[in-house]
Every structure is written in C-alpha cells, then in structure tokens.
Amino acid sequence: MAKIQLVIFDFDGTLVDTAPDLIRATNFYLESQGLDPIPEATVRAEIGMGLRKLILDVFPKEMQSEANRRRIEGDFLKIYEREYLHSPALFPGAREFLTEWEGAIAIVSNKRARFIHPILEKLGIHGLPWTRIIGGDTYPNMKPHPEPFLGAIQAAGVTPEETLIVGDGTPDVAGALALGSRCAAVAHGYQDIEELMDLGATDRLESFHELLPLIRKIT
C-alpha cells in the first residue's frame, strides 16, 4: 500500500462550515425576488455541486435561458459577496491536523477560487504551505472530473495512489474512484456519510481528530 504524501481537502462542508452564510445569501436573494425561502437542508445538499447547480434547482425554467442564467447568477453573487465572510468556521480538529501533518496539503473545491482565499485569510490559515488551492473556475472542468485533482497531485509531485482525498460529497468520491485514490468521507459534511460510503469512499472520519491516525494506519 502506497504511503500517503498528499491530502486534498474539499472546502465547503469538509474543511470549512460555510453553509450558514450561503443559506442566508440564498434566502436574501429569494426574498428580493418576492419568493419564499427554501429549507436549509436543500441548500446544504447542493453546495458541493457549485452555485450553478443550486440556482438551477431553484429556478429550473429561468435557467434554460442563457440571459436569465447570467442575470440570476450576477444578482445572487452580489448578495453572496456581502454575506460570505460573516461566519465561516473551521470544523473541529481541522486546524490541529493542518499544523501537525508534515506532508503536502491542497484544496480542490467547486467553489469559485476568489471566495476561497478570503475565507482562508479570515480563518488564519491562508499562509499554510498549500500545494494548490483550486476552485471550481480554476480549470475548464469541475469535480468530479479528475482534472482539478490532477492539478494538485501533479503540483505535489506525487501519484494518485499516494493521495488521500477528504470530502463530504459525491464529486469527491467519484473523483477519487476515477483516479484510484483513497477517499475519506467526513461525518460532519453536507451529504450523508452512509451515502458516500455506499458510493465507494474507502474510509470514514467521524472527526478530523481521526485523520492523522487514519493516515498512519493505512500507510
């Protein structure tokens, strides 16, 4: 079994709890359109697939028009830019792992990269030695396509077999399976961990306090 050299983290729902700000922004936008708010669980379930998927589900008919899609995305982003730094928080144990782990670390997210960097700054971890910070707009393809994962893997100079992908959504598990990497599903995420294990996640994390022992165990 290959020794893990690189840990790739998903962002929303895995490394950072960003849901409260996204839920608030979504419902502020709906209110501005004279629409009823949607349940928190609905927003959480869509976060991992990116903003466009969320908007598509909320406005399926309007999104069939390119002009409407651009207008809706633009209007929503104005609100999200106002709200997204209100209350992001690292999940318990994440900071401890990031400071104790001596291998490479990277972020591969479907969130726009321009939102990731300020959140990391606010949380005081932007200055860590990230191999890559990859957003949903960094490459032509988003997760679960292997391209963004390979960007981080190649930058670290390791192989997919030496990589552990930590995530909370289908794109993370599907990407890991396509690459032949291990994937640890987190219990605190926005998608049910049992669903992720059924999809093929190789490991489960009840908290980040288990991550370092897991790496030592599997290598």
Side-chain angles (χ1 to χ4, degrees):
M1 187 179 296
K3 182 179 181 180
I4 299 299
Q5 305 280 359
L6 167 67
V7 179
I8 296 177
F9 292 95
D10 172 50
F11 193 71
D12 300 292
T14 296
L15 193 63
V16 181
D17 187 5
T18 57
D21 294 337
L22 186 52
I23 291 166
R24 186 173 53 256
T26 300
N27 284 324
F28 278 158
Y29 175 71
L30 292 173
E31 181 182 3
S32 75
Q33 301 299 305
L35 300 170
D36 292 332
I38 58 178
E40 291 187 9
T42 301
V43 180
R44 287 178 182 271
E46 299 291 355
I47 290 174
M49 297 305 294
L51 171 63
R52 184 166 297 180
K53 180 66 166 60
L54 172 62
I55 295 175
L56 176 62
D57 285 352
V58 175
F59 301 101
K61 293 182 180 179
E62 290 85 347
M63 287 290 281
Q64 293 175 12
S65 162
E66 179 69 13
N68 282 344
R69 180 187 67 75
R70 290 183 180 278
R71 175 182 58 79
I72 292 169
E73 286 188 4
D75 290 346
F76 176 84
L77 284 173
K78 289 177 183 177
I79 294 176
Y80 185 60
E81 286 171 348
R82 186 185 73 205
E83 300 294 331
Y84 82 105
L85 289 174
H86 184 75
S87 58
L90 282 170
F91 284 103
R95 190 181 303 275
E96 290 84 347
F97 174 82
L98 292 170
T99 55
E100 292 175 14
W101 166 244
E102 296 180 351
I105 52 173
I107 291 170
V108 174
S109 172
N110 280 343
K111 191 184 199 74
R112 285 169 167 82
R114 66 187 176 96
F115 293 120
I116 297 174
H117 291 276
I119 292 174
L120 293 175
E121 290 277 10
K122 182 179 177 68
L123 296 172
I125 59 170
H126 193 271
L128 293 177
W130 300 101
T131 298
R132 289 290 306 276
I133 297 172
I134 295 171
D137 52 353
T138 303
Y139 291 101
N141 296 293
M142 296 169 59
K143 299 185 299 183
H145 195 282
E147 184 177 31
F149 292 111
L150 285 172
I153 290 169
Q154 291 168 357
V158 301
T159 67
E161 293 76 21
E162 294 171 320
T163 301
L164 175 65
I165 296 171
V166 180
D168 76 319
T170 298
D172 306 302
V173 179
L177 289 173
L179 289 163
S181 299
R182 297 185 72 98
C183 181
V186 296
H188 58 247
Y190 302 153
Q191 187 171 341
D192 183 73
I193 191 172
E194 300 304 336
E195 293 179 7
L196 302 179
M197 297 308 296
D198 289 344
L199 286 171
T202 52
D203 307 283
R204 62 188 299 149
L205 292 174
E206 297 301 324
S207 80
F208 276 120
H209 297 294
E210 298 178 353
L211 183 50
L212 199 54
L214 171 66
I215 293 173
R216 290 168 178 163
K217 177 182 176 182
I218 64 179
T219 57

